[in-house]
Amino acid sequence: MQGKVTWVNDLTFVGEAGSGNSVVMEGGRTNNGVRPMEMILLGVGGCAAYDVVSILQKARQDIISCHCELNGIRPDTTPSPFERIEMEFVVRGRGLKESHVARAVELSAEKYCSASIMLRNAGVEIVHSYRVEEA
């Protein structure tokens, strides 16, 4: 995996992934892009949500939507690494089995999501929960 981050101006940067996709990042002054720590939080949510949806699709669950609500807790110091990340998956579908959703979230947390497992191994407390909504 490769990437490149290029300074544009002030505290604005463009990150380009090896896949060719780009994202604008900034340091908080101008709000022209996503802050780097927000990128980490979103990356964890994206990684885990991908797992949950993929697992539920393989289990032939009729999913209409899925999103992951994230809350990253950081100390008010410098540096300010994540101490805790709370992830709540909201899965909406028809006739979803709650046991399948619970298992998908568990498998993501314990086996598949490289991002959350990496952060957990680095000492970040990661809490997973879910909510099932009938369509």
Side-chain angles (χ1 to χ4, degrees):
M1 185 176 293
Q2 298 171 340
K4 177 181 172 182
V5 175
T6 304
W7 175 50
V8 177
N9 59 37
D10 193 27
L11 289 178
T12 302
F13 299 81
V14 172
E16 184 179 350
S19 64
N21 295 298
S22 298
V23 63
V24 175
M25 298 178 286
E26 68 88 35
R29 281 191 203 160
T30 61
N31 209 27
N32 287 331
V34 180
R35 291 171 180 85
M37 290 300 285
E38 291 173 327
M39 294 271 299
I40 292 171
L41 188 64
L42 294 175
V44 170
C47 183
Y50 172 90
D51 293 335
V52 169
V53 168
S54 177
I55 292 164
L56 290 173
Q57 286 175 333
K58 289 176 185 167
R60 294 189 169 90
Q61 295 295 289
D62 190 4
I63 307 168
I64 292 174
S65 66
C66 176
H67 69 267
C68 181
E69 297 176 4
L70 300 151
N71 185 31
I73 294 133
R74 302 167 63 195
D76 195 19
T77 61
T78 301
S80 183
F82 288 113
E83 294 177 333
R84 176 181 167 107
I85 295 175
E86 300 163 346
M87 307 173 72
E88 182 177 30
F89 298 88
V90 181
V91 184
R92 182 174 163 83
R94 290 182 281 273
L96 295 174
K97 293 183 180 176
E98 186 170 337
S99 62
H100 280 59
V101 175
R103 183 69 175 144
V105 170
E106 178 186 352
L107 284 170
S108 174
E110 300 299 325
K111 187 174 182 180
Y112 293 116
C113 181
S114 300
S116 64
I117 292 168
M118 174 185 67
L119 290 174
R120 183 186 69 213
N121 289 346
V124 179
E125 178 186 9
I126 300 184
V127 179
H128 298 79
S129 63
Y130 65 89
R131 191 168 71 235
V132 177
E133 297 179 350
E134 183 63 29

